[in-house]
Short mmCIF file of all heavy atoms in Angstrom, two decimals:
data_model
loop_
_atom_site.label_atom_id
_atom_site.label_comp_id
_atom_site.label_asym_id
_atom_site.label_seq_id
_atom_site.Cartn_x
_atom_site.Cartn_y
_atom_site.Cartn_z
N PRO A 295 13.83 -6.42 -16.57
CA PRO A 295 13.25 -6.04 -17.86
C PRO A 295 11.73 -5.97 -17.88
O PRO A 295 11.14 -5.82 -18.94
CB PRO A 295 13.75 -7.16 -18.78
CG PRO A 295 13.84 -8.36 -17.89
CD PRO A 295 14.27 -7.83 -16.54
N PRO A 298 9.87 -2.30 -19.20
CA PRO A 298 9.84 -2.05 -20.65
C PRO A 298 8.91 -2.99 -21.39
O PRO A 298 8.21 -2.58 -22.32
CB PRO A 298 11.30 -2.27 -21.07
CG PRO A 298 12.10 -2.01 -19.84
CD PRO A 298 11.25 -2.50 -18.71
N GLN A 299 8.88 -4.27 -21.00
CA GLN A 299 7.97 -5.21 -21.64
C GLN A 299 6.51 -4.84 -21.36
O GLN A 299 5.65 -4.95 -22.23
CB GLN A 299 8.25 -6.64 -21.15
CG GLN A 299 9.58 -7.20 -21.59
CD GLN A 299 9.79 -8.63 -21.11
OE1 GLN A 299 8.86 -9.42 -21.06
NE2 GLN A 299 11.03 -8.95 -20.75
N GLY A 302 5.40 -2.11 -23.50
CA GLY A 302 5.20 -2.55 -24.86
C GLY A 302 3.99 -3.44 -25.06
O GLY A 302 3.72 -3.86 -26.18
N ARG A 322 11.55 5.54 -15.14
CA ARG A 322 10.45 5.80 -16.07
C ARG A 322 9.08 5.50 -15.45
O ARG A 322 8.15 5.03 -16.11
CB ARG A 322 10.64 5.03 -17.37
CG ARG A 322 11.92 5.40 -18.12
CD ARG A 322 12.00 4.73 -19.45
NE ARG A 322 10.94 5.21 -20.32
CZ ARG A 322 10.54 4.56 -21.42
NH1 ARG A 322 11.11 3.42 -21.76
NH2 ARG A 322 9.58 5.04 -22.16
N VAL A 461 16.17 9.56 -24.83
CA VAL A 461 15.72 8.74 -25.96
C VAL A 461 14.43 8.00 -25.61
O VAL A 461 13.53 7.85 -26.45
CB VAL A 461 16.82 7.74 -26.38
CG1 VAL A 461 16.31 6.76 -27.44
CG2 VAL A 461 18.04 8.48 -26.91
N SER A 462 14.32 7.56 -24.36
CA SER A 462 13.14 6.81 -23.94
C SER A 462 11.88 7.65 -23.92
O SER A 462 10.78 7.11 -23.81
CB SER A 462 13.38 6.19 -22.55
OG SER A 462 14.40 5.22 -22.61
N HIS A 464 10.96 9.33 -26.50
CA HIS A 464 10.43 9.32 -27.87
C HIS A 464 9.22 8.39 -27.92
O HIS A 464 9.23 7.29 -27.35
CB HIS A 464 11.52 8.83 -28.83
CG HIS A 464 11.17 9.02 -30.27
ND1 HIS A 464 10.30 8.19 -30.94
CD2 HIS A 464 11.57 9.96 -31.18
CE1 HIS A 464 10.18 8.60 -32.19
NE2 HIS A 464 10.95 9.67 -32.36
N SER A 466 8.07 6.33 -29.96
CA SER A 466 8.24 5.00 -30.57
C SER A 466 9.09 4.06 -29.72
O SER A 466 9.23 2.89 -30.04
CB SER A 466 8.89 5.13 -31.95
OG SER A 466 8.05 5.80 -32.85
N VAL A 467 9.69 4.59 -28.63
CA VAL A 467 10.72 3.83 -27.91
C VAL A 467 10.16 3.24 -26.62
O VAL A 467 9.62 3.97 -25.77
CB VAL A 467 11.92 4.74 -27.59
CG1 VAL A 467 12.96 3.99 -26.75
CG2 VAL A 467 12.57 5.22 -28.89
N ALA A 468 10.28 1.93 -26.48
CA ALA A 468 9.92 1.26 -25.23
C ALA A 468 11.10 1.27 -24.25
O ALA A 468 10.92 1.44 -23.05
CB ALA A 468 9.48 -0.17 -25.48
N ASP A 469 12.31 1.08 -24.76
CA ASP A 469 13.50 1.11 -23.91
C ASP A 469 14.72 1.37 -24.80
O ASP A 469 14.69 1.08 -26.01
CB ASP A 469 13.68 -0.20 -23.15
CG ASP A 469 14.50 -0.02 -21.87
OD1 ASP A 469 14.84 1.13 -21.53
OD2 ASP A 469 14.79 -1.04 -21.22
N ALA A 470 15.78 1.90 -24.19
CA ALA A 470 16.97 2.27 -24.97
C ALA A 470 18.22 2.16 -24.12
O ALA A 470 18.19 2.48 -22.93
CB ALA A 470 16.82 3.69 -25.51
N LYS A 471 19.32 1.73 -24.74
CA LYS A 471 20.60 1.62 -24.06
C LYS A 471 21.70 2.17 -24.96
O LYS A 471 21.83 1.77 -26.12
CB LYS A 471 20.92 0.17 -23.69
CG LYS A 471 19.89 -0.46 -22.76
CD LYS A 471 19.78 0.26 -21.43
CE LYS A 471 18.65 -0.28 -20.57
NZ LYS A 471 18.43 0.53 -19.35
N ILE A 486 22.95 3.88 -30.03
CA ILE A 486 21.80 3.61 -29.19
C ILE A 486 21.07 2.36 -29.68
O ILE A 486 20.72 2.25 -30.86
CB ILE A 486 20.83 4.83 -29.15
CG1 ILE A 486 19.82 4.67 -28.01
CG2 ILE A 486 20.15 5.06 -30.48
CD1 ILE A 486 20.35 5.04 -26.67
N PHE A 487 20.93 1.40 -28.79
CA PHE A 487 20.13 0.20 -29.07
C PHE A 487 18.72 0.45 -28.56
O PHE A 487 18.53 0.87 -27.40
CB PHE A 487 20.73 -1.03 -28.40
CG PHE A 487 21.96 -1.54 -29.08
CD1 PHE A 487 23.23 -1.13 -28.68
CD2 PHE A 487 21.86 -2.45 -30.13
CE1 PHE A 487 24.37 -1.60 -29.31
CE2 PHE A 487 23.00 -2.93 -30.78
CZ PHE A 487 24.26 -2.50 -30.37
N ILE A 488 17.73 0.20 -29.40
CA ILE A 488 16.35 0.55 -29.09
C ILE A 488 15.45 -0.69 -29.17
O ILE A 488 15.60 -1.52 -30.07
CB ILE A 488 15.83 1.63 -30.07
CG1 ILE A 488 16.46 2.99 -29.73
CG2 ILE A 488 14.31 1.73 -30.07
CD1 ILE A 488 16.08 4.08 -30.73
N ILE A 489 14.53 -0.78 -28.23
CA ILE A 489 13.37 -1.68 -28.33
C ILE A 489 12.16 -0.79 -28.59
O ILE A 489 11.88 0.13 -27.81
CB ILE A 489 13.17 -2.49 -27.05
CG1 ILE A 489 14.36 -3.41 -26.80
CG2 ILE A 489 11.87 -3.31 -27.12
CD1 ILE A 489 14.30 -4.15 -25.48
N THR A 490 11.48 -1.02 -29.70
CA THR A 490 10.36 -0.14 -30.07
C THR A 490 9.06 -0.62 -29.44
O THR A 490 8.91 -1.77 -29.05
CB THR A 490 10.18 -0.09 -31.60
OG1 THR A 490 9.91 -1.41 -32.08
CG2 THR A 490 11.43 0.44 -32.28
N ARG A 491 8.12 0.31 -29.36
CA ARG A 491 6.76 -0.04 -28.94
C ARG A 491 6.07 -0.81 -30.06
O ARG A 491 6.42 -0.64 -31.24
CB ARG A 491 5.97 1.22 -28.59
CG ARG A 491 6.43 1.87 -27.28
CD ARG A 491 5.66 3.18 -27.04
NE ARG A 491 6.01 3.74 -25.76
CZ ARG A 491 5.30 3.61 -24.64
NH1 ARG A 491 4.17 2.91 -24.68
NH2 ARG A 491 5.68 4.15 -23.51
N PRO A 492 5.10 -1.66 -29.73
CA PRO A 492 4.44 -2.48 -30.76
C PRO A 492 3.87 -1.63 -31.89
O PRO A 492 3.15 -0.65 -31.66
CB PRO A 492 3.32 -3.17 -29.98
CG PRO A 492 3.80 -3.21 -28.57
CD PRO A 492 4.58 -1.94 -28.37
N MET A 494 5.28 0.44 -33.83
CA MET A 494 5.86 1.77 -34.04
C MET A 494 7.21 1.64 -34.73
O MET A 494 8.01 0.77 -34.39
CB MET A 494 6.05 2.48 -32.70
CG MET A 494 4.76 2.67 -31.92
SD MET A 494 3.69 3.93 -32.65
CE MET A 494 4.56 5.41 -32.15
N ALA A 496 11.06 2.59 -35.63
CA ALA A 496 12.18 3.21 -34.91
C ALA A 496 12.61 4.49 -35.60
O ALA A 496 12.62 4.57 -36.83
CB ALA A 496 13.35 2.24 -34.85
N PRO A 497 12.94 5.54 -34.85
CA PRO A 497 13.46 6.75 -35.48
C PRO A 497 14.85 6.51 -36.05
O PRO A 497 15.63 5.72 -35.50
CB PRO A 497 13.51 7.75 -34.32
CG PRO A 497 13.70 6.90 -33.10
CD PRO A 497 12.93 5.63 -33.38
N VAL A 520 21.72 4.14 -34.72
CA VAL A 520 20.55 3.54 -34.10
C VAL A 520 20.45 2.08 -34.55
O VAL A 520 20.51 1.79 -35.74
CB VAL A 520 19.25 4.28 -34.48
CG1 VAL A 520 18.03 3.56 -33.92
CG2 VAL A 520 19.29 5.72 -33.99
N GLU A 521 20.32 1.18 -33.60
CA GLU A 521 20.12 -0.24 -33.88
C GLU A 521 18.90 -0.72 -33.10
O GLU A 521 18.72 -0.35 -31.94
CB GLU A 521 21.34 -1.07 -33.50
CG GLU A 521 22.58 -0.79 -34.35
CD GLU A 521 22.44 -1.23 -35.79
OE1 GLU A 521 21.60 -2.14 -36.05
OE2 GLU A 521 23.15 -0.68 -36.65
N VAL A 522 18.10 -1.54 -33.73
CA VAL A 522 16.86 -2.03 -33.13
C VAL A 522 17.02 -3.49 -32.72
O VAL A 522 17.51 -4.31 -33.52
CB VAL A 522 15.66 -1.87 -34.08
CG1 VAL A 522 14.38 -2.40 -33.44
CG2 VAL A 522 15.49 -0.40 -34.48
N LEU A 523 16.63 -3.81 -31.50
CA LEU A 523 16.65 -5.18 -30.99
C LEU A 523 15.28 -5.56 -30.46
O LEU A 523 14.50 -4.70 -30.05
CB LEU A 523 17.67 -5.33 -29.86
CG LEU A 523 19.15 -5.12 -30.19
CD1 LEU A 523 19.98 -5.22 -28.92
CD2 LEU A 523 19.64 -6.10 -31.23
N ASP A 524 15.00 -6.84 -30.44
CA ASP A 524 13.76 -7.33 -29.83
C ASP A 524 13.89 -7.37 -28.31
O ASP A 524 12.90 -7.20 -27.58
CB ASP A 524 13.41 -8.73 -30.34
CG ASP A 524 13.01 -8.72 -31.80
OD1 ASP A 524 12.47 -7.70 -32.26
OD2 ASP A 524 13.26 -9.74 -32.49
N GLU A 525 15.09 -7.62 -27.81
CA GLU A 525 15.34 -7.63 -26.37
C GLU A 525 16.83 -7.40 -26.14
O GLU A 525 17.66 -7.63 -27.02
CB GLU A 525 14.91 -8.96 -25.74
CG GLU A 525 15.61 -10.17 -26.33
CD GLU A 525 15.08 -11.48 -25.75
OE1 GLU A 525 14.05 -11.43 -25.06
OE2 GLU A 525 15.70 -12.52 -26.00
N PHE A 526 17.16 -6.93 -24.95
CA PHE A 526 18.55 -6.68 -24.61
C PHE A 526 19.16 -7.94 -24.00
O PHE A 526 18.49 -8.69 -23.29
CB PHE A 526 18.66 -5.54 -23.60
CG PHE A 526 18.20 -4.21 -24.13
CD1 PHE A 526 17.40 -3.38 -23.36
CD2 PHE A 526 18.56 -3.78 -25.40
CE1 PHE A 526 16.97 -2.16 -23.83
CE2 PHE A 526 18.14 -2.56 -25.89
CZ PHE A 526 17.34 -1.74 -25.10
N PRO A 527 20.46 -8.17 -24.24
CA PRO A 527 21.12 -9.32 -23.61
C PRO A 527 21.25 -9.11 -22.11
O PRO A 527 21.43 -7.99 -21.64
CB PRO A 527 22.49 -9.35 -24.29
CG PRO A 527 22.73 -7.94 -24.72
CD PRO A 527 21.39 -7.38 -25.09
#
Side-chain angles (χ1 to χ4, degrees):
Q299 292 182 36
R322 299 186 65 198
V461 173
S462 294
H464 191 282
S466 295
V467 176
D469 204 5
K471 300 299 174 187
I486 194 81
F487 285 93
I488 287 175
I489 297 174
T490 60
R491 288 176 175 261
M494 300 288 285
V520 175
E521 293 293 336
V522 179
L523 296 176
D524 292 330
E525 59 185 10
F526 296 136

